[in-house]
DNA sequence: AAGCCTCGCAACCGCTTTTAC
DNA sequence: TGTAAAAGCGGTTGCGAGGCT
């Protein structure tokens, strides 16, 4: 026997997500954390399949996602990583922790493909890179990953405090959602009705955070008529970090904990896409791209 | 101003791999 | 251990926004 089915196929809603649905999903994940997607539609009342919920979360609502223009450095990393790895967007995305594979894929298809096409006519950067340096890249990638893993295991064996790592590597994307919701709230007098469970989750989570006293409402917080959302969005504290911040997070987790910046015990602990295994190579690959004078 | 076209992106689809039962 | 669902992934599509005529 296998597992029970994830969700009913009948009555599943498709198409763009509404802010209401986003709130429900975020509320639920804020309380329960990501994962166990099968239970999300039933527990939240969302008429979405679990797969859709997961995708919405990973591609849009997930904390730490940076949206908008790609920097020149990001662009170059994508170009070179694509040359190295091919269309393995998830692998490429692991070197750009703030970007989703979908985002990178879209950016590649809409911008970089054309750009490279034009660029190739002029200087043949991509092809020459592929033919001349690919082997070198692969060797260095393997070496660096090996070194990174070794360093990681050494570090972990030195301090056996695994709980410190996972709480700091993720920034909230409440900024994304609050931006998204700002417009919605302008036109919506009352917060949308949530399922009892979701509403409770939101209340509980908000209380948990405000009780800690370390979270203040961001500049994006809502008018007083939506006070309930203030605390809901207050986990912005962990969001809106620059790429440098994210890169730094992997190495500064201990320092943050030591400095009393550890997130509250009951605050949301999001799954971390840029885990240590990913982040160390990220820094290395950035370094060697710079070393190579590619930037 | 209206209609058409292009572009960008969110979301879906379908396949593969992983995992729970 | 086999089976089936979950999870992961890359390709593709559909729609809205903006630009152009």
């Amino acid at each position: 026997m296998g597992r029970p089915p994830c969700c009913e196929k009948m009555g599943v809603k498709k198409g763009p997500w509404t802010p209401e649905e986003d709130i429900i999903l975020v509320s639920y994940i804020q309380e329960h954390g990501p994962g166990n997607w099968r239970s999300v539609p039933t527990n939240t009342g969302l008429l979405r399949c679990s797969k859709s919920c997961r995708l919405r979360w990973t591609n849009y609502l997930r904390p730490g996602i940076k949206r908008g223009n790609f920097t020149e450095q990001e662009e170059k990393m994508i170009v070179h990583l694509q040359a190295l790895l091919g269309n393995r967007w998830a692998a490429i995305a692991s070197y750009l922790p703030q970007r989703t594979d979908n985002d990178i894929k879209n950016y590649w298809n809409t911008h970089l493909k054309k750009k490279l096409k034009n660029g190739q006519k002029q200087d043949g950067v991509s092809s020459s890179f592929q033919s001349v340096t690919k082997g070198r890249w692969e060797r260095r990638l393997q070496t660096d990953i090996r070194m990174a893993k070794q360093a990681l295991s050494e570090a972990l064996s030195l301090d056996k405090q695994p709980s410190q790592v996972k709480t700091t590597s993720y920034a909230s994307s409440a900024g994304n959602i609050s931006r998204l919701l700002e417009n919605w709230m302008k036109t919506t007098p009352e917060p949308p009705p949530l399922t009892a469970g979701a509403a409770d989750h939101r209340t509980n989570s908000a209380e948990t955070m405000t009780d800690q006293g370390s979270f203040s409402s961001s500049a994006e917080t809502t008018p007083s008529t939506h006070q309930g959302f203030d605390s809901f969005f207050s986990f912005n504290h962990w969001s809106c970090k620059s790429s440098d911040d994210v890169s730094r997070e992997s190495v500064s987790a201990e320092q943050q904990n030591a400095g009393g910046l550890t997130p509250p015990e009951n605050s949301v602990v999001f799954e971390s896409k840029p885990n240590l295994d990913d982040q160390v190579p990220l820094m290395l690959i950035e370094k060697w791209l710079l070393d190579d004078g590619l930037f």
Side-chain angles (χ1 to χ4, degrees):
Chain A
M1 280 292 284
R3 296 196 221 177
C6 80
C7 57
E8 299 293 331
K9 292 286 178 190
M10 299 295 288
V12 172
K13 189 181 168 191
K14 288 185 179 181
W17 280 65
T18 64
E20 291 93 331
E21 289 176 310
D22 283 341
I23 291 175
I24 293 170
L25 181 60
V26 171
S27 298
Y28 180 81
I29 292 172
Q30 188 183 3
E31 176 73 9
H32 296 93
N36 196 13
W37 296 107
R38 180 179 48 154
S39 65
V40 172
T42 49
N43 289 349
T44 59
L46 285 169
L47 298 174
R48 299 278 181 172
C49 76
S50 56
K51 197 172 179 177
S52 182
C53 293
R54 184 177 60 81
L55 278 172
R56 181 65 180 169
W57 172 256
T58 54
N59 288 334
Y60 198 80
L61 301 172
R62 186 168 55 83
I65 289 178
K66 182 172 149 193
R67 311 198 68 79
N69 295 340
F70 280 69
T71 65
E72 199 177 336
Q73 187 181 355
E74 285 175 320
E75 199 173 284
K76 285 176 177 173
M77 276 191 82
I78 292 167
V79 170
H80 291 300
L81 286 165
Q82 202 280 339
L84 173 66
L85 301 168
N87 293 356
R88 293 172 59 200
W89 306 116
I92 293 170
S94 70
Y95 290 98
L96 295 157
Q98 291 180 298
R99 302 290 187 181
T100 68
D101 54 352
N102 206 38
D103 224 11
I104 292 170
K105 182 172 61 182
N106 281 335
Y107 190 68
W108 173 264
N109 287 330
T110 55
H111 294 89
L112 297 179
K113 245 180 182 175
K114 293 177 204 164
K115 217 171 183 177
L116 272 184
K117 226 173 192 176
N118 296 334
Q120 259 181 330
K121 285 175 189 168
Q122 291 174 0
D123 57 25
V125 165
S126 178
S127 57
S128 66
F129 173 82
Q130 275 189 309
S131 57
V132 174
T133 64
K134 185 170 179 176
R136 183 162 147 243
W137 266 65
E138 284 173 344
R139 281 195 301 278
R140 293 179 65 169
L141 179 65
Q142 285 170 0
T143 304
D144 283 337
I145 287 173
R146 199 165 47 243
M147 285 167 62
K149 284 186 173 173
Q150 191 183 335
L152 174 66
S153 61
E154 283 171 8
L156 289 175
S157 66
L158 283 174
D159 66 30
K160 297 188 183 301
Q161 294 173 311
S163 63
Q164 292 179 350
V165 175
K166 68 176 181 180
T167 54
T168 55
S169 59
Y170 235 158
S172 163
S173 75
N176 297 341
I177 303 165
S178 57
R179 274 193 298 277
L180 174 78
L181 292 171
E182 267 180 350
N183 293 332
W184 173 62
M185 285 174 175
K186 284 174 190 165
T187 57
T188 311
E190 295 293 329
L194 298 175
T195 60
D200 288 341
H201 299 157
R202 189 177 61 190
T203 306
N204 292 341
S205 304
E207 282 173 356
T208 299
M209 289 187 186
T210 49
D211 284 346
Q212 298 301 318
S214 58
F215 296 102
S216 59
S217 296
S218 71
E220 299 174 2
T221 49
T222 53
S224 58
T225 48
H226 301 293
Q227 258 184 335
F229 289 99
D230 285 357
S231 46
F232 173 65
F233 290 134
S234 65
F235 69 127
N236 255 344
H237 179 83
W238 303 102
S239 73
C240 306
K241 303 187 177 189
S242 67
S243 56
D244 285 344
D245 290 336
V246 170
S247 298
R248 261 182 253 122
E249 278 175 347
S250 62
V251 290
S252 62
E254 284 176 49
Q255 293 159 348
Q256 288 186 359
N257 285 330
L261 292 175
T262 314
E265 200 177 289
N266 292 330
S267 67
V268 188
V269 177
F270 292 108
E271 70 177 348
S272 173
K273 185 181 97 175
N275 58 28
L276 273 176
D277 251 358
D278 289 335
Q279 287 188 356
V280 174
L282 167 68
M283 289 179 287
L284 288 166
I285 203 164
E286 281 178 339
K287 181 174 181 300
W288 97 55
L289 287 169
L290 291 164
D291 287 350
D292 273 352
L294 292 167
F295 296 124

